[in-house]
Amino acid sequence: MQAPRGPGLLLAAALAACQPSPQPPAPAAYDPLAAATAAAQGRIGNVEAGVPPQCYTRTGGESNPCWVCHTTANGANRADDWELQRRYDFSALGRTNHWHNLFRDRRAGIAAIGDAEILAWIRQDNYAALRQAMARMPDFRGWSPDLDYPRGFDAAGFARDGSGWRAYRYKPFPGTFWPTNGATDTAMIRLPLAFRSDAAGRPSEGVYRVNLAIVEAAVAVPDRVADAALRLPVEALDETSAGLDLDGDGRLSFGVTGLRGLPAHYAGGAAGIAVQRYSYPPGTEFLHPVHYVDPDAPELRAARLKELRYSRKETAVDAQSVRLHYEEEAREREVGGRAHYAGNAFTGQSNVFGWQLQGYIEDAQGRLRLQTREEQLYCMGCHTGIGVTVDQSFSLPRKLPGAEGWGLQRVAGQRDTPQAGGRKGEYRQYLRRTGGGDEFRANAEMLSRFFRDGRLDEKRVDAALASERGLLELVAPSRERALALGKAYLTVVREQSYALGRDALLAPPVNVHQQIEDQETALKASGRVYKDGRIWLEPAKTQ
């Protein structure tokens, strides 16, 4: 029961109301590990965090965004999970959509943030402070940022700090990672020291370039091409530094720009390591900074990071073991089981294919912090066993061929290359089969720009692709949408509610299940199940 309030109490309350609002407390001292430490003893709210929000799409029997991830067996990938297009084949727990942030109406929160505020936010770098803070934690068991990211990369994509990281350009995977859906990104690869050294153990950029080309050949050429018949355009390479005849002309030369046949082994200090098709050598590392979208920045890449994602191939897994792991996962799925991963927030999460993943994300003040274990599980589903990946990776198999593919990510000017074995541009095909510009068909701007009465307007797609910006014109948001998406995500940052989902939509979506009642997607009945999805790309002859 509420206590009675006399005149004196009312007067005091009125006077208090006239006082200035208390200022928020000063941010605590920056400790990137604090949140993960605090959560370490708590329970995981969503043990099915590896099932991404996009998998709860309501298809209506007509919209199929699922085909780009779930497809028939290819390369060494034996997931053969194309039937996930026709069934929500989740565990009992997974049939409840735990991504509650999808359904939050954030329009009031968006309206409360001004354009100047969000622009100031996204134009602040938050990476350098993380690197400095983690340098003071030498006992940390996970990955600490060792790239001087603000220092940048040279014209060939090599990090100027000498860390061995090399940036590459690739065609973004369809859907969620298009800038029109709220984020842009870059990607880097680093091979172990032996791959960056000559046979005498001396650092050698020439050897490193050759070994990177071999890795690219192992993962980026479609599986219809046999090892001996493999052909790959490469940057100008020095065969003499590697001691390998890469172009098959019977001599060692400078300036070789084509690789013919997959070499049996790597070069230089890694000459004793065999090349395994569709597999990265142990010790391979990837770095994936996820940026906000800045409508005024080149490539729309804001200074501020939403996330910093890292992965490392810890152990080699032979072809027979890979097949067995896929078979075990299929049996687990049949009985309604769920995936399990080793590790914790501080070591990262590990899967049965030899990969360890770890990530950082913004705290409420926008400083990057180590993700909790539950937050790290979010990345594990897509990087463990879905049907379209090559050795659980997405971007390097989609690298632009040759020298053009080395450097900081650039989408502008790219063409809409078909997927391997396809004839139509991949993005065009995605738009047509999905019926929208995202998995939820919630991107109203893409629907307005490229659809008429529910059907793809081919002429408008043609016009976008024919523009100077090419693919970027097709998948870039308007200034208004870019800022609104940044504001929507900022509300999630301030809430620190990532465990409920990172997809901050401009309005609650209609085409998403909150609960799976009928496991059939209705796509089989409508004849809209596709088995042709591939990560690899063809050289485009048509748009």
Side-chain angles (χ1 to χ4, degrees):
M1 178 180 295
Q2 189 174 25
R5 304 183 68 186
L9 289 175
L10 291 173
L11 177 60
L15 289 171
C18 294
Q19 300 302 312
S21 299
Q23 295 299 310
Y30 182 24
D31 177 2
L33 307 185
T37 301
Q41 303 304 318
R43 62 185 293 272
I44 290 179
N46 180 10
V47 295
E48 286 282 26
V51 179
Q54 290 74 19
C55 287
Y56 292 94
T57 294
R58 190 188 300 272
T59 72
E62 297 183 356
S63 171
N64 184 355
C66 318
W67 66 280
V68 294
C69 288
H70 304 297
T71 187
T72 52
N74 57 94
N77 191 323
R78 302 288 97 187
D80 198 24
D81 61 354
W82 63 271
E83 290 196 4
L84 291 179
Q85 296 180 42
R86 68 179 187 86
R87 285 181 58 82
Y88 299 105
D89 208 0
F90 303 151
S91 70
L93 285 172
R95 289 171 199 162
T96 296
N97 186 346
H98 292 85
W99 304 114
H100 302 304
N101 273 345
L102 283 174
F103 308 103
R104 286 281 304 277
D105 190 339
R106 299 187 178 275
R107 284 173 283 196
I110 293 169
I113 302 171
D115 289 356
E117 180 181 356
I118 193 62
L119 285 169
W121 178 265
I122 67 176
R123 290 172 179 173
Q124 294 172 345
D125 170 68
N126 57 352
Y127 175 88
L130 171 69
R131 184 165 173 256
Q132 293 168 6
M134 293 305 296
R136 297 191 293 268
M137 299 181 180
D139 296 330
F140 177 58
R141 293 174 293 164
W143 178 76
S144 290
D146 57 358
L147 166 70
D148 189 346
Y149 194 27
R151 189 173 172 186
F153 303 81
D154 66 19
F158 288 103
R160 291 194 178 99
D161 64 3
S163 60
W165 288 107
R166 194 177 190 190
Y168 56 91
R169 300 181 181 124
Y170 54 95
K171 187 181 182 187
F173 197 71
T176 294
F177 275 101
W178 288 349
T180 185
N181 292 319
T184 186
D185 57 4
T186 58
M188 301 121 207
I189 185 172
R190 180 168 63 185
L191 299 182
L193 185 60
F195 291 76
R196 295 179 263 144
S197 308
D198 65 17
R202 296 168 299 200
S204 171
E205 184 177 301
V207 169
Y208 193 18
R209 288 175 184 253
V210 167
N211 282 328
L212 284 167
I214 295 173
V215 169
E216 181 183 349
V219 301
V221 177
D223 60 351
R224 69 172 185 270
V225 181
D227 291 4
L230 186 149
R231 303 289 184 271
L232 181 71
V234 295
E235 62 180 326
L237 298 175
D238 178 8
E239 292 178 321
T240 64
S241 67
L244 292 177
D245 180 12
L246 300 170
D247 61 358
D249 66 355
R251 54 196 176 92
L252 301 182
S253 309
F254 296 94
V256 170
T257 57
L259 191 152
R260 298 172 64 89
L262 186 67
H265 59 84
Y266 290 98
I273 299 175
V275 176
Q276 183 177 339
R277 185 84 182 268
Y278 315 117
S279 180
Y280 297 96
T284 299
E285 299 169 279
F286 285 101
L287 191 57
H288 180 202
V290 181
H291 293 252
Y292 283 82
V293 175
D294 184 339
D296 302 322
E299 288 294 321
L300 309 177
R301 194 161 44 242
R304 178 176 291 277
L305 297 183
K306 290 182 167 185
E307 296 183 55
L308 182 64
R309 300 175 177 179
Y310 170 83
S311 60
R312 175 184 168 88
K313 183 76 172 288
E314 290 286 349
T315 56
V317 182
D318 61 52
Q320 182 178 0
S321 296
V322 168
R323 286 194 297 271
L324 289 173
H325 288 320
Y326 278 118
E327 291 172 4
E328 289 170 3
E329 290 212 348
R331 286 194 294 269
E332 190 76 18
R333 194 166 61 242
E334 285 177 3
V335 299
R338 57 183 177 84
H340 298 272
Y341 310 104
N344 55 48
F346 307 99
T347 61
Q349 309 302 304
S350 299
N351 63 28
V352 294
F353 298 101
W355 287 95
Q356 174 249 323
L357 281 73
Q358 199 161 37
Y360 294 83
I361 201 163
E362 289 178 283
D363 69 12
Q365 286 77 44
R367 304 168 302 190
L368 290 168
R369 63 163 176 81
L370 185 67
Q371 293 183 23
T372 66
R373 182 166 188 262
E374 181 171 351
E375 290 165 347
Q376 290 182 26
L377 290 174
Y378 176 83
C379 288
M380 296 304 291
C382 292
H383 289 281
T384 304
I386 69 168
V388 80
T389 57
V390 177
D391 199 4
Q392 319 313 315
S393 72
F394 287 88
S395 59
L396 194 71
R398 300 169 64 82
K399 175 186 169 293
L400 304 185
E404 182 186 7
W406 293 112
L408 206 59
Q409 172 68 327
R410 186 173 63 226
V411 180
Q414 287 193 35
R415 299 184 65 194
D416 188 19
T417 47
Q419 289 189 357
R423 300 179 61 187
K424 299 183 183 298
E426 177 189 46
Y427 284 11
R428 184 190 298 270
Q429 192 79 299
Y430 177 86
L431 292 170
R432 184 183 294 115
R433 290 179 175 181
T434 301
D438 68 314
E439 293 83 354
F440 308 128
R441 308 189 300 289
N443 187 327
E445 186 170 273
M446 289 290 284
L447 292 172
S448 173
R449 287 183 67 198
F450 298 114
F451 290 83
R452 291 291 176 271
D453 300 321
R455 297 178 64 86
L456 185 65
D457 188 328
E458 303 279 357
K459 291 183 178 179
R460 289 187 174 232
V461 174
D462 290 340
L465 293 173
S467 71
E468 183 178 354
R469 294 204 301 173
L471 277 190
L472 190 58
E473 180 66 23
L474 184 70
V475 299
S478 66
R479 181 183 183 82
E480 179 184 9
R481 178 173 173 82
L483 297 182
L485 287 167
K487 295 171 187 179
Y489 187 78
L490 180 53
T491 66
V492 177
V493 172
R494 289 172 173 171
E495 295 168 355
Q496 290 291 284
S497 59
Y498 305 119
L500 302 179
R502 304 174 198 186
D503 297 86
L505 305 182
L506 300 187
V510 174
N511 300 309
V512 183
H513 289 286
Q514 296 192 46
Q515 181 73 37
I516 302 296
E517 303 292 351
D518 182 357
Q519 288 188 273
E520 294 295 324
T521 66
L523 290 172
K524 180 181 179 181
S526 63
R528 289 181 169 85
V529 171
Y530 308 105
K531 300 181 181 181
D532 56 351
R534 293 292 183 267
I535 198 82
W536 301 296
L537 301 169
E538 292 281 359
K541 296 181 180 179
T542 63
Q543 292 284 2

